[in-house]
């Protein structure tokens, strides 16, 4: 006999899958899997992109029923952006979401933006760019009074720039009991060092770290290869659940993993197997990663990227995410 928690999760899973079917206009025949890393790719022609163009490392912010997505630079844009009112139909903006690079940065490597609403009418973008002084990737800030931007650089110095650890990339925010925290990856794989996912508390305006960083996770599983990156943190049933990407982003070995912890002051434990790989039963993916958990329309969704079939660009995908306690399942 299933417990009430499992039954509730089953109902939630059915509702989310039904919602996806309604959004996509097609039946959701794949269902969910307790081990999405196992199995072989489906016979579909390729990834079913929500944004079928280069839109890598997506981050989504929901404000007043509109989803605002932001992505890594493409030619002619520092930060790409798009909007949706249903998580299915997306309008990609032809304007740059970032008005200019901060004074400390060089052009060409503006990666993985994160946008957070730090207070009503105050939005902060955490962007990765190349630090002119050190040549390393570092994280800086930009601000806007509207969720879609354009965002204006907030400081002439980076917010996070651990040069001795290889730099820092892939910022993410997490609000815990009202307090804002920043997560990032130390970019040690640039120079034969370990990579760490770290976190530190932020000031109320989101522009300053107010405490020392805490190391949460480093690469320690064979499937992760030389790195872990792209952190995204949620809390379910009192457990911190960290989604992350690992391995070489340029091919099918790139995958999404999860780790859990009970506190933001001590290391997390990663799951032995990845959460989502190219060999998923749930669809055809090529190096899925750059993930973000988004709550929209009363359901959780996993937004992530995958290479197209020719490995020319990374498009954005949206899939329903359900939970059995603190255990996530992709639909």
């Amino acid at each position: 006999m299933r417990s009430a928690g499992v039954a509730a999760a089953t109902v939630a899973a059915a509702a989310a899958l039904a919602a996806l079917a309604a959004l996509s206009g097609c039946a959701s025949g794949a269902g969910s899997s307790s081990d999405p890393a196992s199995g072989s790719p489906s016979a579909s022609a390729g990834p079913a992109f929500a944004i079928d163009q280069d839109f890598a490392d997506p981050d989504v912010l929901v404000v007043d029923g509109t989803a605002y997505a932001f992505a890594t630079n493409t030619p002619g844009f520092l930060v790409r952006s798009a909007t949706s009112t249903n998580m299915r139909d997306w309008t990609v903006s032809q304007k740059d979401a970032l008005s200019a690079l901060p004074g400390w940065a060089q052009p060409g490597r503006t990666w993985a933006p994160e946008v957070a609403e730090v207070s009503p009418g105050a939005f902060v973008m955490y962007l990765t760019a190349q630090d002119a002084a050190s040549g390393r990737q570092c994280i800086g800030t930009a601000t806007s009074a509207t969720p879609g931007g354009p965002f204006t650089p907030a400081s002439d110095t980076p917010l996070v720039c651990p040069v001795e650890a290889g730099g820092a990339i892939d910022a993410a925010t997490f609000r815990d009991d009202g307090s804002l925290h920043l997560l990032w990856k130390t970019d040690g794989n640039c120079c034969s060092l370990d990579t760490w996912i770290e976190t530190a508390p932020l000031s109320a305006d989101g522009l300053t770290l107010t405490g020392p960083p805490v190391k949460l996770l480093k690469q320690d599983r064979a499937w992760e290869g030389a790195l872990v990156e792209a952190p995204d943190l949620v809390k379910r049933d009192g457990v911190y659940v960290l989604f992350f990407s690992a391995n070489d982003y340029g091919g099918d070995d790139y995958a999404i993993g999860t780790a859990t912890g009970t506190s933001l002051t001590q290391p997390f434990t990663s799951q032995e197997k990845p959460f989502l790989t190219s060999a998923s039963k749930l669809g055809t993916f090529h190096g899925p990663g750059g993930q973000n958990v988004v709550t929209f329309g009363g359901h959780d969704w996993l937004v992530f990227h995958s290479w197209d079939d020719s490995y020319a660009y990374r498009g954005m995908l949206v899939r329903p995410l359900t939970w059995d306690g603190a255990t996530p399942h992709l639909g």
Side-chain angles (χ1 to χ4, degrees):
M1 181 175 182
R2 286 184 287 181
S3 68
V6 172
T10 303
V11 171
L17 288 169
L20 179 67
L23 291 178
S24 62
C26 61
S28 169
S32 61
S33 170
S34 59
D35 183 12
S38 65
S40 58
S42 72
S44 62
F49 291 125
I51 296 180
D52 191 4
Q53 58 180 275
D54 198 1
F55 206 87
D57 307 310
D59 167 72
V60 176
L61 173 71
V62 178
V63 179
D64 295 333
T66 296
Y68 297 84
F70 303 89
T72 284
N73 66 276
T74 59
F77 294 87
L78 296 172
V79 172
R80 296 308 315 262
S81 64
T83 56
S84 175
T85 57
N86 58 18
M87 297 296 283
R88 176 195 66 198
D89 303 305
W90 293 84
T91 300
V92 179
S93 177
Q94 296 308 305
K95 296 182 179 180
D96 207 312
L98 182 63
S99 64
L101 281 175
W104 56 268
Q106 292 180 326
R109 302 174 71 196
T110 310
W111 299 345
E114 160 87 359
V115 174
E117 185 173 18
V118 296
S119 62
F123 301 89
V124 178
M125 175 183 286
Y126 301 89
L127 60 106
T128 298
Q130 186 171 13
D131 176 42
S134 66
R136 302 297 190 201
Q137 293 288 93
C138 296
I139 294 168
T141 54
T143 59
S144 174
T146 58
F151 288 80
T152 302
S155 176
D156 286 333
T157 58
L159 176 65
V160 182
C161 195
V163 173
E164 71 288 349
I169 68 171
D170 295 349
T173 55
F174 174 69
R175 194 171 290 278
D176 191 27
D177 296 327
S179 298
L180 194 63
H181 298 258
L182 189 72
L183 296 96
W184 64 88
K185 169 237 182 163
T186 59
D187 205 27
N189 55 292
C190 75
C191 30
S192 301
L193 299 172
D194 284 331
T195 61
W196 281 95
I197 291 173
E198 300 185 350
T199 187
L202 281 163
S203 58
D205 64 5
L207 299 178
T208 307
L209 299 182
T210 60
V214 174
K215 289 180 167 61
L216 296 181
L217 188 75
K218 75 170 185 176
Q219 76 284 355
D220 61 3
R221 304 287 188 185
W223 70 268
E224 296 166 350
L227 62 92
V228 291
E229 60 189 14
D232 193 57
L233 186 62
V234 297
K235 194 174 186 179
R236 294 292 182 273
D237 272 14
V239 177
Y240 296 96
V241 182
L242 177 69
F243 290 78
F244 63 93
S245 303
N247 218 300
D248 179 2
Y249 83 97
D252 282 353
D253 287 338
Y254 204 53
I256 297 172
T258 61
T260 57
T262 58
S263 168
L264 296 182
T265 61
Q266 58 189 15
F268 282 27
T269 301
S270 62
Q271 302 303 308
E272 183 178 352
K273 295 182 179 180
F275 176 69
L276 183 65
T277 73
S278 299
S280 169
K281 293 179 179 178
L282 302 175
T284 298
F285 310 117
H286 304 301
Q291 65 293 322
N292 181 212
V293 178
V294 181
T295 301
F296 184 97
H299 302 289
D300 279 353
W301 307 86
L302 190 71
V303 179
F304 58 102
H305 71 233
S306 166
W307 289 101
D308 72 307
D309 285 339
S310 63
Y311 295 85
Y313 63 89
R314 289 171 289 171
M316 189 182 89
L317 299 105
V318 179
R319 299 297 292 266
L321 187 70
T322 58
W323 298 87
D324 179 4
T327 301
H329 300 279
L330 196 67

